[in-house]
Amino acid sequence: MSSYKDYKKKALQNHEVKAEYDALQPEYDIIQTMIEARMQQNMTQKDLSAKTGITQADISRIENGTRNPSLSMVKKLAQGLGMQLKLEFIPMSAKNIKCK
């Protein structure tokens, strides 16, 4: 049986799949960063909820990708993690251009 990384590599060879994956990448980056920061601080979702006033259920939904948080909510989460949110626009590279 192949690993997830092998499957992902193969799936991303399809230009349509890659375009969809790339379109969702910023959301997944935020989710992954939030989870990693929370875990590095040995915080549970309940702990983060207590620090931010955001319900544990909403934090869970954000982390599993079923809730799309507002910018102000992401800022609150960053503050609850003792961090500052940094948002930046970066130039699109040739690899981000859709394949035809």
Side-chain angles (χ1 to χ4, degrees), residues 54-73:
I54 298 168
T55 67
Q56 184 273 325
D58 275 341
I59 292 171
S60 176
R61 288 182 193 107
I62 292 165
E63 289 187 2
N64 69 35
T66 59
R67 171 102 202 276
N68 191 6
S70 66
L71 182 57
S72 68
M73 185 178 281

Side-chain angles (χ1 to χ4, degrees), residues 32-50:
Q32 190 60 41
T33 300
M34 186 178 117
I35 293 169
E36 287 172 1
R38 183 176 61 75
M39 295 184 114
Q40 285 174 352
Q41 296 181 39
N42 296 314
M43 290 178 74
T44 64
Q45 291 177 347
K46 189 175 180 178
D47 296 333
L48 186 55
S49 173

Side-chain angles (χ1 to χ4, degrees), residues 4 12 19 21 39 75 80 86 88 90 94-95 100:
Y4 171 74
L12 291 177
Y21 179 84
M39 295 184 114
K75 286 170 52 177
K86 178 183 177 185
E88 62 184 337
I90 56 173
K95 77 177 197 176
K100 291 185 180 184

